[in-house]
Amino acid sequence: MIFWQHLLSKLQDNQKVYVLTVIENFGSSPGRKGFKMLVSQDHFIFGSIGGGVMEFSLVEEARQLLHKEQSPNFIKKQIHKGKKIKEGSGMICSGEQTVAFHCLDVAHISVIKGIINCLQNGEKGTLQLTTDSFDFTLDKIVNQFDYYIHSTEDWSFKEHIGYRETLHIIGGGHVGVAASELLVKLGFYVIVYDNRKDLNTLENNQFSHQKMLVDYNEISDYVPEGNTNYVAIMTNKYTDDKLVLSKLIRKEFAFIGVLGSKAKLKAMWAVLTRDGFSQEALSSVYAPIGLPIKSETPEEIAVSIAAQIIQVKNGYSSIEND
């Protein structure tokens, strides 16, 4: 959001701005698909396409082009194996990346406003880049990115804009606040639920996108299924944890976890087993939630939860239920 707000401000100031976007990467490239930088006529720079000497040289190129009458759009391939090869970036990390240069001006203000409105309203859309265009639509794409590069003139890059993943935090206590702050920064749309009226930590949670007062008996009506939905159960008592889990465990989520000690969770598992829940269903739950890093404070617990959720999102997690 901040990137687009900075970009809009410069365009409204009647400046030309180069937006540099990584549209392809391989290997150990420091820049990944979707990384962006803006370079304005007044030398303002924001964002990153990977850093290092490669980034510095491309920024300098953009600065020089901004002061010419014609500022072209183009793509540039960078091979990170030193300078002594064709298209070498000067970096030695053995990766490759292709960066698109788009020069924007006041004519693109409506496009950037559309992106900002999409993000503010929790909607989803698609950024579409070609040699001749920098556009945004409310069309949806299945993946985060969709692109091809046939040549320096024939290429297309599409990027999903908006929140793809939603974290549902059941329990608005101190850990819920800390987890909200961190997961929002990591790009999740965060909704916090609680059944307690006038809960100070819920009312003062300025990080989550939504806060909802609900009856936990009806929690399944509020939390939708789907592989972009993540659930973290952390109510203020054992009976509510068990109630919420029993309502949600048969639904399909990308992730569902419960906060608590191993002793508490062992007792909960015994009760749920007697209530007819299968071992297969119970083994799908991350419990205790979070990576085992001996976290103690709400902030440390939030870090452990966030790390585990990122593992799952990126396909590197394994479930360990002791």
Side-chain angles (χ1 to χ4, degrees), residues 54-300:
M54 171 273 303
E55 183 175 281
F56 177 81
S57 65
L58 295 186
V59 167
E60 287 302 306
E61 183 173 357
R63 281 176 168 173
Q64 293 176 18
L65 290 171
L66 283 170
H67 294 288
K68 294 184 177 181
E69 185 175 348
Q70 298 295 326
S71 302
N73 300 331
F74 59 96
I75 61 174
K76 190 165 189 176
K77 187 174 183 179
Q78 296 282 278
I79 301 176
H80 307 309
K81 294 182 180 178
K83 292 183 178 180
K84 296 182 179 180
I85 60 171
K86 185 179 180 180
E87 300 174 327
S89 68
M91 302 181 79
I92 57 173
C93 51
S94 298
E96 299 179 13
Q97 67 186 64
T98 300
V99 179
F101 286 63
H102 285 86
C103 185
L104 308 188
D105 56 26
V106 292
H108 295 90
I109 286 177
S110 61
V111 174
I112 307 308
K113 283 184 174 180
I115 294 173
I116 292 173
N117 289 336
C118 173
L119 294 171
Q120 289 178 334
N121 297 328
E123 298 175 343
K124 299 177 181 180
T126 300
L127 176 66
Q128 302 182 20
L129 309 182
T130 67
T131 295
D132 301 319
S133 64
F134 190 104
D135 296 320
F136 174 76
T137 73
L138 291 178
D139 296 338
K140 310 296 190 300
I141 57 175
V142 175
N143 300 314
Q144 180 69 34
F145 305 104
D146 184 5
Y147 78 99
Y148 68 81
I149 302 175
H150 294 156
S151 70
T152 56
E153 299 297 327
D154 182 13
W155 62 271
S156 171
F157 178 82
K158 295 181 179 180
E159 177 182 355
H160 172 93
I161 297 295
Y163 297 98
R164 291 186 65 83
E165 291 85 18
T166 299
L167 174 63
H168 303 267
I169 300 176
I170 320 298
H174 294 287
V175 176
V177 174
S180 296
E181 180 179 9
L182 184 51
L183 269 300
V184 165
K185 290 179 179 178
L186 291 171
F188 284 74
Y189 190 85
V190 176
I191 307 174
V192 181
Y193 309 80
D194 209 290
N195 65 349
R196 294 169 284 177
K197 292 182 179 179
D198 303 319
L199 179 63
N200 182 63
T201 49
L202 183 65
E203 292 179 348
N204 294 332
N205 186 337
Q206 301 300 311
F207 308 107
S208 65
H209 297 95
Q210 292 186 54
K211 297 177 285 189
M212 303 184 69
L213 184 65
V214 302
D215 181 342
Y216 286 152
N217 283 290
E218 300 172 355
I219 191 65
S220 62
D221 295 335
Y222 295 92
V223 183
E225 292 185 86
N227 60 9
T228 60
N229 286 294
Y230 296 69
V231 179
I233 301 171
M234 51 183 77
T235 76
N236 68 317
K237 54 186 178 182
Y238 164 86
T239 53
D240 283 344
D241 282 343
K242 182 171 70 67
L243 172 61
V244 170
L245 183 58
S246 70
K247 298 293 183 180
L248 299 179
I249 194 171
R250 290 193 173 100
K251 301 182 78 171
E252 295 291 332
F253 301 109
F255 174 98
I256 182 168
V258 183
L259 180 67
S261 67
K262 291 183 178 181
K264 183 188 90 168
L265 293 166
K266 184 177 181 180
M268 186 188 300
W269 258 233
V271 173
L272 290 170
T273 299
R274 288 199 300 270
D275 289 345
F277 291 94
S278 68
Q279 184 59 42
E280 180 181 4
L282 294 173
S283 65
S284 69
V285 181
Y286 290 77
I289 194 173
L291 296 184
I293 57 174
K294 296 187 182 295
S295 50
E296 297 180 354
T297 67
E299 291 74 20
E300 289 178 347

